[in-house]
Amino acid sequence: QTLAGYRIIERVGRGGMGTVYRAEQVDLQRVVALKIISDEHVKDKEFVDLFIHEARASAKLNHPNIVQVYDVKRHGESYFFSMEYVSGGSVQELLNKQRRLAVDECVRMILDAARGLEYAHKKGIVHRDVKPDNFMISETGAIKIGDMGLARGLDEKVGPEEETSVIGTPHYIAPEQVLGR
């Protein structure tokens, strides 16, 4: 199956916003990850805006420890973006398999993630959903931060719904997020 110049190879994940596939960008003959918004959300303008916001937030960041976004498009009724394919899966998947990681391996992963987060913060972007599911493992073992769906610019105005609600994954949410800071 193809979609706007991308040949879908296999599904590699599914989340709240959509499904991620390993695909080939045919013109450039490179493997990418293709995130396609879920059919049930296509008609929801706010959801589509959030999806596009994720792609744009990620695309502003070019760092070895952040998944690089290449493109965001609408094709017919489908919205999708393409990004760097990170072949090693997530840290959460690794934890599910191994149950326990060596301390030196954890420290290396944490330092990689911290470098990516520091870069994003310097660019004025706060991730707001930092967790093992969003730390991807590259071929070389480097950690790359993905899933910027809840990211927000430091200078963005907070909407009334955000002033009264908490955004993030409960077990991983930062205390300052809970306090609305």
Side-chain angles (χ1 to χ4, degrees), residues 21-39:
Y21 297 91
R22 185 168 63 94
E24 177 189 15
Q25 187 176 9
V26 177
D27 288 346
L28 296 178
Q29 298 179 331
R30 70 174 167 184
V31 174
V32 300
L34 201 63
K35 187 170 190 176
I36 304 173
I37 197 169
S38 300
D39 288 341

Side-chain angles (χ1 to χ4, degrees), residues 6-151:
Y6 295 91
R7 184 178 59 82
I8 295 172
I9 299 167
E10 68 178 325
R11 186 178 79 179
V12 293
R14 178 172 280 157
M17 286 195 162
T19 304
V20 179
Y21 297 91
R22 185 168 63 94
E24 177 189 15
Q25 187 176 9
V26 177
D27 288 346
L28 296 178
Q29 298 179 331
R30 70 174 167 184
V31 174
V32 300
L34 201 63
K35 187 170 190 176
I36 304 173
I37 197 169
S38 300
D39 288 341
E40 70 259 21
H41 298 304
V42 169
K43 302 279 188 241
D44 183 342
K45 183 185 176 337
E46 285 183 33
F47 199 90
V48 169
D49 289 346
L50 184 63
F51 184 82
I52 292 169
H53 177 269
E54 176 183 356
R56 289 179 177 160
S58 296
K60 290 178 183 175
L61 305 174
N62 186 4
H63 188 274
N65 299 113
I66 298 175
V67 174
Q68 181 67 53
V69 168
Y70 303 132
D71 196 10
V72 62
K73 286 188 176 176
R74 177 183 180 181
H75 182 77
E77 293 296 312
S78 297
Y79 290 87
F80 65 91
F81 64 86
S82 65
M83 61 189 143
E84 173 183 9
Y85 178 70
V86 185
S87 62
S90 73
V91 170
Q92 185 62 56
E93 291 168 340
L94 181 64
L95 285 168
N96 291 344
K97 285 181 200 165
Q98 294 187 9
R99 295 305 223 193
R100 183 176 287 223
L101 303 176
V103 172
D104 60 334
E105 184 178 16
C106 291
V107 169
R108 185 191 49 74
M109 289 177 173
I110 291 166
L111 288 172
D112 280 355
R115 287 181 195 102
L117 291 169
E118 178 185 39
Y119 175 81
H121 290 186
K122 285 180 179 176
K123 293 291 187 176
I125 295 174
V126 178
H127 190 283
R128 300 196 310 169
D129 200 20
V130 175
K131 60 184 180 182
D133 274 323
N134 293 335
F135 293 164
M136 307 306 293
I137 306 168
S138 76
E139 287 178 7
T140 64
I143 297 300
K144 291 182 166 273
I145 301 167
D147 198 347
M148 302 292 276
L150 299 180

